[in-house]
Amino acid sequence: MSKDKQFVKEITPQQEDFSRWYIDVISKAELMSYSPVRGCVVLRPDGYEIWENIQRELDRKFKETGHRNAYFPLFIPESFFQKEKEHVEGFNPELPWVTEAGGEKLEERLAIRPTSETMIGHMYSNWINSYRDLPVLINQWANVVRWEKRTLPFLRTTEFLWQEGHTAHEDEADARKETMQMLEVYRDFAENFLAIPVIMGQKTPSEKFAGAVDTYSIEAMMKDGKAVQAGTSHYLGTNFAQAFDIKYLDRDNTQQYVHTTSWGVSTRLIGALIMVHGDDRGLVLPPKVAPLQAVVIPIGPPKTRDQVVPRAEQMFYELKKAGIRVKLDDNPDQSPGWKFNEYEMRGVPVRIEFGPRDMENGQAVLVSRVTGEKRPVRLDAIVDEVRRMLDEVHQAMYDNAKAFMDSHFKSIDTIDDMKSFLDAQRGFVLAGWCGSDACERQVKEETGATSRNMPFEPEERKTVCLVCGSKAEHTVVYGKSY
Amino acid sequence: MSKDKQFVKEITPQQEDFSRWYIDVISKAELMSYSPVRGCVVLRPDGYEIWENIQRELDRKFKETGHRNAYFPLFIPESFFQKEKEHVEGFNPELPWVTEAGGEKLEERLAIRPTSETMIGHMYSNWINSYRDLPVLINQWANVVRWEKRTLPFLRTTEFLWQEGHTAHEDEADARKETMQMLEVYRDFAENFLAIPVIMGQKTPSEKFAGAVDTYSIEAMMKDGKAVQAGTSHYLGTNFAQAFDIKYLDRDNTQQYVHTTSWGVSTRLIGALIMVHGDDRGLVLPPKVAPLQAVVIPIGPPKTRDQVVPRAEQMFYELKKAGIRVKLDDNPDQSPGWKFNEYEMRGVPVRIEFGPRDMENGQAVLVSRVTGEKRPVRLDAIVDEVRRMLDEVHQAMYDNAKAFMDSHFKSIDTIDDMKSFLDAQRGFVLAGWCGSDACERQVKEETGATSRNMPFEPEERKTVCLVCGSKAEHTVVYGKSY
């Protein structure tokens, strides 16, 4: 038992205090530890392995869509931030500065990157000359730092891990196509890999990325009804091209600015999947990212161990060979009941119970982490059966999350309706918006909710602004967020 | 043609200026670009993909030997460096300091990690309580920063990418076993994956890691006879355990300090493989890490393109499906001759020429980047034949590098012999050492060479110190280094 664990005896129920539940779960399941540096956490092996599984799948998707990885410097000269006006205003308050190095004061301060548009823009201006060099389709896996006032493990930490795609194109149409393609990659990944249903849409101007023309996002609903922005994709127009002089000779031999995009997801996805799927017993991990997909636990009287364990080992190797991330826990010092609780708390999707009677019958019992269903299956079909249950767990997790989001989502017409709804329960509302900053601000002041995005779906389009009652130019999803 | 490329018209011959050759090759092959931050380079896609291939294989080996990955903060509080005396002396001069963040001056300066023993030591002291928690076997893939005065792309840059393993054990024997195991993992990887023969051995006290009890290394010889330290593994004893109070309750219920190790390799390996294998035509990439292992180039008169290209495409898909990293270059705007030079410069191990006569004969011609051998092979055996040539290329690269190292390695008895040898040719010498710092320093002052390590092999043990002539306590490999 580690010292960290000693602090978490029991997991606080979600209804009692959702934030406390969250911290309890990620500490007790050893996904992270607090570090001695303010706002920075340590990703422990079980937490980091979730990130590795996320990385592997996204990296595959990025390469499939023609992107390659590269690596750019951690340090960004102060002067670079001055070149794009909105960008500097957006990020300046959050920057940490290196002012001394190698025993000397630096002539120019260096920021630790909060995002790399400026550095990459500078490099692209060196690399791009002609339309033949375009498009440039590059992604970077990296650590970034934003000096946040309020932090929360995974969701908002001073340092975090992410990927940032940065592409350059001949024209707006091609860049916009890329922007939407990557948004769709994120949606597909969230829903089909993390079992998290999301709302795709466009950010309102006040919520867009500092320096973007348009920002698009996928938004997920946590079990407390709050929103987490799970991925963003930006069309940057020629803003960074002008700031960093990224020009090319086009097909008519004329100098043109490139159109750029950027898009990213981060370790915040780990926070999202915990808050979307977890329950009072602990983590519930989506099978495709779970470090451990199945655990084999021998059961029955101690005197039967000698027969049962060797056959359980055989099952373990068979599953492992088939590519299932599986563990056999035959530790005789802990009871099966203790183990059941432990692996449920850790969110392992499928438990495999195996005792002397099962052995006689040539079967094992699969137990679903989500539904609790106990299913006896034939030993000679164990690989297929475990795979089937993993698929079912994924689907059940998605369906549960979708049902939760649908039942906590309300179309409303006035700010009073919105307040009543948010007083009665947590969730998102769909409302009309006239397009003015003032009305958007008023919603935030009166309800604490902010615009998440202007959704592509549902089809419903609102006709009046929930604040001023004048004609709605947009339909907006509002929600409270972390 | 990118702007970067315009600066490199021709590659400087190795004999004329090896350093210039190196910079020319890595610029022209687009492995890296200089960044606007002093001493930091950008790893471009072809450079980064070599690193990805290195990562994938090493990560597999680390996991196979029971390690898991985690992630620790980039920032290290200044007070942490004060806790291990040798460590702070070794690293303090190279640290960059964050002194301001989020618009405020920090109370305690934060270093950007040059290595993570201190932070990880602090975390381990929280995680480890009992012998049941041991061993802790963790690795981290990360960026680190050392403010170097002289920099050289890949070999010594301000920021670089690396992995750092950090393990904690019950006793010295177990920790030393781990130290040697990881050194052997590195040797095996260097020789069998990068085709780089290395000399394994122990560092002299003056060259060991700041804070280690013993440091072991693998050392490689570049084509200019200089040494590159290609990987290190440290037994840290209880030094960091004492500094960070990492104690556990042993099997007899007594508090003990853990024994720790650390071990790492970095993007410097990319520099090493370029300098070990490259030639005047450009890169020669080891097949197992080459981003592109084979390139198919249609040849013959333009009018035959319509027949040849579709069959070449079929070959391409067949090779790709078999898992070979292959490209078809059927660009009609460039001549086959231009392409031959281009892919040779980029170090692609195998070229596949395919023209109308080949098609008639049901064959293609494989050309080895290393030996230049042209080998007609049957189209229906293309996958096996390409695989075979890739294996041969790897073996030839290793054999060439080994022959070069052996012929530039001399056993000597006096410092005058060493000077004569280093005047006549570049390379390593094997010499006796009495064990005194003074003699080691004198070798450096008089010859410019430093002790690389005290090799496990060759068997030859020297009997007298090359400087003072008294009894040799150790046999040492000396060489100039980057």
Side-chain angles (χ1 to χ4, degrees), chain B residues 76-84 87-88 91 95 111 114 118:
Chain B
I76 299 182
E78 182 163 17
S79 55
F80 277 39
F81 276 97
Q82 310 303 334
K83 296 194 181 183
E84 217 291 332
H87 197 66
V88 65
F91 283 104
L95 299 177
T118 57

Side-chain angles (χ1 to χ4, degrees), chain A residues 209-252:
Chain A
F209 176 75
V213 172
D214 289 320
T215 288
Y216 301 86
S217 73
I218 53 171
E219 305 279 337
M221 188 188 289
M222 307 299 102
K223 273 197 176 164
D224 62 352
K226 284 192 183 168
V228 165
Q229 176 181 293
T232 50
S233 186
H234 316 290
Y235 168 60
L236 305 172
T238 59
N239 291 350
F240 286 90
Q242 291 188 52
F244 289 91
D245 199 33
I246 322 175
K247 280 187 202 151
Y248 73 100
L249 210 58
D250 75 6
R251 287 159 206 267
D252 302 322

Side-chain angles (χ1 to χ4, degrees), chain A residues 11 21 25 277-284 344-345 347 369:
Chain A
I11 295 172
W21 167 86
V25 164
H277 299 302
D279 63 23
D280 285 345
R281 284 176 296 154
L283 292 177
V284 182
E344 283 189 347
M345 184 274 288
R369 173 62 179 89

Side-chain angles (χ1 to χ4, degrees), chain A residues 1-4 6 32-37 40-46 48-49 52 56 59 63 68-77 80 92-106 109-110 112-113 119 122-130 132-133 138 141 143 145 147 149 158-161 245 247 291, chain B residues 1-4 6 32-37 40-46 48-49 52 56 59 63 68-77 80 92-106 109-110 112-113 119 122-130 132-133 138 141 143 145 147 149 158-161 245 247 291:
Chain A
M1 291 283 268
S2 76
K3 289 174 200 166
D4 269 22
Q6 292 172 355
M32 69 100 217
S33 286
Y34 288 103
S35 90
V37 180
C40 290
V41 299
V42 174
L43 297 187
R44 300 186 69 171
D46 274 339
Y48 193 80
E49 194 169 333
E52 288 180 288
R56 193 180 310 112
D59 200 67
K63 285 175 177 161
R68 298 186 72 192
N69 292 324
Y71 188 77
F72 297 86
L74 172 71
F75 300 116
I76 300 181
F80 277 39
N92 230 5
E94 296 180 354
L95 299 177
W97 293 102
V98 174
T99 59
E100 303 160 25
E104 290 173 13
K105 206 165 161 65
L106 298 180
R109 297 196 299 175
L110 297 172
I112 310 292
R113 66 181 161 219
M119 176 58 76
H122 173 87
M123 297 311 300
Y124 282 6
S125 77
N126 286 329
W127 296 345
I128 297 169
N129 281 300
S130 142
R132 286 186 208 89
D133 299 323
I138 284 180
W141 292 97
N143 53 342
V145 175
W147 213 259
K149 291 252 187 306
T158 301
E159 181 189 10
F160 56 97
L161 303 180
D245 199 33
K247 280 187 202 151
Chain B
M1 292 281 270
S2 76
K3 288 175 203 167
D4 271 23
Q6 291 172 353
M32 68 99 215
S33 285
Y34 287 103
S35 90
V37 180
C40 291
V41 300
V42 174
L43 296 187
R44 301 186 69 172
D46 275 337
Y48 193 80
E49 194 169 333
E52 287 181 288
R56 190 180 314 113
D59 200 67
K63 285 174 179 161
R68 298 186 72 191
N69 292 324
Y71 188 78
F72 298 85
L74 173 70
F75 300 116
I76 299 182
F80 277 39
N92 230 4
E94 298 179 354
L95 299 177
W97 293 101
V98 174
T99 58
E100 303 160 22
E104 289 172 13
K105 209 166 159 62
L106 299 181
R109 297 195 300 175
L110 297 172
I112 310 292
R113 64 179 161 220
M119 175 60 74
H122 173 88
M123 298 311 301
Y124 282 7
S125 76
N126 287 328
W127 295 345
I128 297 168
N129 281 299
S130 140
R132 285 187 210 86
D133 299 323
I138 285 182
W141 292 98
N143 53 344
V145 175
W147 212 259
K149 290 252 187 305
T158 302
E159 181 189 9
F160 57 94
L161 303 179
D245 198 33
K247 282 189 201 148

Side-chain angles (χ1 to χ4, degrees), chain B residues 171-344:
Chain B
D171 56 28
E172 176 169 350
D174 200 45
R176 284 196 178 272
K177 200 172 131 197
E178 167 81 8
T179 308
M180 298 316 288
Q181 172 185 254
M182 300 323 288
L183 186 70
E184 169 59 18
V185 163
Y186 291 154
R187 183 207 61 77
D188 178 52
F189 176 76
E191 301 198 338
N192 296 317
F193 214 74
L194 305 181
I196 299 178
V198 292
I199 297 171
M200 283 173 102
Q202 183 176 353
K203 287 282 189 187
T204 60
S206 73
E207 297 283 331
K208 71 183 167 66
F209 177 75
V213 172
D214 290 318
T215 288
Y216 301 85
S217 73
I218 53 171
E219 305 281 336
M221 188 189 290
M222 307 299 103
K223 273 198 176 164
D224 62 353
K226 284 191 181 168
V228 164
Q229 176 180 294
T232 50
S233 186
H234 316 290
Y235 168 60
L236 305 172
T238 59
N239 291 349
F240 286 89
Q242 293 189 52
F244 290 91
D245 198 33
I246 321 174
K247 282 189 201 148
Y248 72 99
L249 211 56
D250 73 8
R251 289 159 206 266
D252 301 322
N253 238 15
T254 310
Q255 288 284 338
Q256 303 277 2
Y257 286 116
V258 299
H259 290 249
T260 64
T261 83
S262 64
W263 29 274
V265 301
S266 73
T267 37
R268 134 179 298 217
L269 284 176
I270 301 174
L273 68 87
I274 295 163
M275 289 197 180
V276 166
H277 299 302
D279 63 24
D280 285 345
R281 283 175 296 155
L283 293 175
V284 181
L285 294 178
K288 292 178 190 175
V289 292
L292 207 55
Q293 298 176 306
V295 57
V296 180
I297 300 177
I299 57 174
K303 63 179 178 184
T304 62
R305 270 185 61 86
D306 289 355
Q307 289 110 58
V308 169
V309 171
R311 185 62 188 85
E313 267 172 17
Q314 193 183 322
M315 194 189 327
F316 162 76
Y317 283 113
E318 200 181 332
L319 291 165
K320 193 179 155 77
K321 204 179 144 193
I324 292 163
R325 297 189 289 273
V326 63
K327 175 180 168 177
L328 167 66
D329 188 344
D330 62 351
N331 183 345
D333 298 338
Q334 284 153 346
S335 71
W338 186 91
K339 291 176 189 172
F340 293 177
N341 288 334
E342 179 71 9
Y343 293 104
E344 283 190 346

